[in-house]
Amino acid sequence: MISVTEEISLLTKQENRLHTSLDNLRGQKSKVKEHRQLEKELAMVLGKRQNLQAWAVFEIGMPVHRLNLPRLGIVKELKITPGGMGEVWVSWDGVLQIPEQPNLLQIDGAALAKIIAVGDRIEIVEGHEEAGKIFTVERLLARGAVETTDEMIFEREKWQKVEEADQKVVQTRSEDDEYSIHNGSFSQETQMVTQLTEESGSEKPDTIVTVNTTATQIEELSEDEEKERHRLELKVERAFVEAGTALRKLRDRRLYRSTHKTFEEYCSDRFGFSRRHPYRLIDAANVVENLEKFCVQFGHILPAKEFVCRPLTILRPDQQREVWQEILQETEGKHPTGKEVKSIVERLKEKPLVKASDFCTIGDPFILTRLEGAERKYNGCWAIAREHRDFTIAVDVYDGELAVKPENLNPIDLPDVRRQLPETLKRIKRLRNNAEMLDRGVYHALEGLGRQIYLTDFEDKLLTFMEQCYGIND
């Protein structure tokens, strides 16, 4: 079995050969298909080589974090998939391990994963407004920062670990303080009764006052139980996000095509979802992922329910962050309700509308969403921006043109898709416009292609076959 270094070397040589072959075919109109095939092979080889190079730098036990996110994890396993791609298995909660793409992870050299752990106590250093106070670590963050059980975040230079012996002293001192406070209040109350009796002139108190105290004991969780509780709480809060992310991958990669013709039919049969519910989950996952990039700014409080995200889905990403920050200020950092979020969104709608020219550029691809009335059939279809109007955007779809608002457009950021879609639109429109009468099967096929953001090899051959049948040449 060859090593990873040898595999990277072989992929580099293959990449160079493909570049040479593409250079030889460039400009030859009769070799368009061969050119496209070589481009696909090159993209695959390039992606595989970059993946392995990124994967090779990781080691088991390394502290890592996702790009632009503060949460800290530890590398537990390094695996190679049957397809030759590298996966980094990371534990984000100390228990569950999740496979991650290496190019989305960053090694965190400043994180002291072996020195500080969840449940340890830290003391805030001089110069900070909380200097001298003791906190318990709830979560490890990137670059050595920590989040405490009081939902406070301290950068690495602002805290120092309380060693085990010191922690016992702190705990004993805390217990003594509780006893002193309780004992002091009891003595004060007894002294007041005695004083009142003496002032009445009696030698003995006429009434005996009995003070009953009830101590409520809070049972501590073990370290493993704390970790398990935190893991389960995250699952409860993020269940709809994980569902939306999975549904998005199923839709975009068309993994339902072996059993169903449409994504909606698949979701209905497999999960019992209504027609709109999977799209709501996908939109909610997009909202949370957008807010998650700025979770430090929001104190790590993210929407905990799909219906809380629903009013935010009609906004641009920057507007979503603006609304979320405003609603957390109004709720004083507590989880908001869907009604509260909707109220803020309604107030935001009263602000001046965004000009279409500020939203996108001509030629940008999008997924259409939240269209109503007769245009609802285009929800989930791709579209390409064609013309800016005052506050709407004219877009090209597979069978015509629509005028939509910015909130009806979800951007597509995949480079390969952005390159392929304009060419696909051109071929579909040329077929519809140049043929005098198309077979009804062709119309159905073109409508299906209008919902796929990229063409598979078979779909490309199918489109080529229809072009040849109707004499549509390059």
Side-chain angles (χ1 to χ4, degrees), residues 259-282:
T259 56
H260 293 78
K261 292 182 179 180
T262 67
F263 178 62
E264 292 85 354
E265 291 176 358
Y266 164 73
C267 290
S268 176
D269 292 345
R270 179 63 180 82
F271 307 110
F273 288 163
S274 64
R275 184 180 182 87
R276 297 181 63 184
H277 190 59
Y279 293 106
R280 285 174 174 167
L281 289 172
I282 292 172

Side-chain angles (χ1 to χ4, degrees), residues 61-109:
M62 275 186 171
V64 295
H65 63 268
R66 292 192 185 104
L67 297 177
N68 301 322
L69 292 178
R71 193 174 178 194
L72 186 73
I74 303 298
V75 175
K76 293 296 184 180
E77 288 188 75
L78 297 171
K79 296 182 180 180
I80 298 291
T81 67
M85 302 295 283
E87 288 183 340
V88 181
W89 286 69
V90 179
S91 174
W92 298 105
D93 55 8
V95 181
L96 187 67
Q97 297 179 23
I98 300 175
E100 302 283 358
Q101 297 180 32
N103 61 328
L104 299 180
L105 295 175
Q106 185 170 340
I107 299 172
D108 200 328

Side-chain angles (χ1 to χ4, degrees), residues 9 130 147 165:
S9 178
E130 303 289 344
E147 181 182 357

Side-chain angles (χ1 to χ4, degrees), residues 167-235:
Q167 290 193 40
K168 291 180 179 178
V169 172
V170 171
Q171 185 175 359
T172 303
R173 187 179 301 164
S174 176
E175 291 173 356
D176 290 344
D177 289 345
E178 283 187 17
Y179 175 78
S180 299
I181 292 171
H182 173 72
N183 193 47
S185 61
F186 178 82
S187 300
Q188 184 179 8
E189 196 168 337
T190 307
Q191 184 178 0
M192 290 174 63
V193 172
T194 305
Q195 183 177 356
L196 287 173
T197 306
E198 291 176 352
E199 289 177 356
S200 65
S202 303
E203 295 181 0
K204 296 182 180 180
D206 295 333
T207 305
I208 297 176
V209 179
T210 303
V211 179
N212 294 320
T213 61
T214 303
T216 302
Q217 183 178 2
I218 299 177
E219 184 180 354
E220 294 289 335
L221 297 179
S222 67
E223 183 178 348
D224 290 340
E225 288 175 327
E226 285 282 2
K227 291 179 180 179
E228 179 67 4
R229 170 179 169 170
H230 179 60
R231 184 182 71 84
L232 294 175
E233 286 175 345
L234 286 178
K235 279 187 169 293

Side-chain angles (χ1 to χ4, degrees), residues 69-70 139 147 151 153 287-303 312 317-329 331-336:
L69 292 178
R139 185 179 302 174
E147 181 182 357
E151 297 185 351
I153 296 174
V287 169
V288 173
E289 288 175 3
N290 173 47
L291 297 179
E292 201 168 27
K293 298 175 183 177
F294 299 86
C295 58
V296 174
Q297 175 185 352
F298 303 131
H300 299 277
I301 296 178
L302 297 169
L312 298 172
D318 60 320
Q319 291 178 322
Q320 291 172 2
R321 296 191 290 270
E322 177 185 344
V323 169
W324 192 246
Q325 189 170 15
E326 187 172 343
I327 195 65
L328 289 183
Q329 289 175 353
T331 60
E332 298 180 350
K334 298 179 181 179
H335 278 285

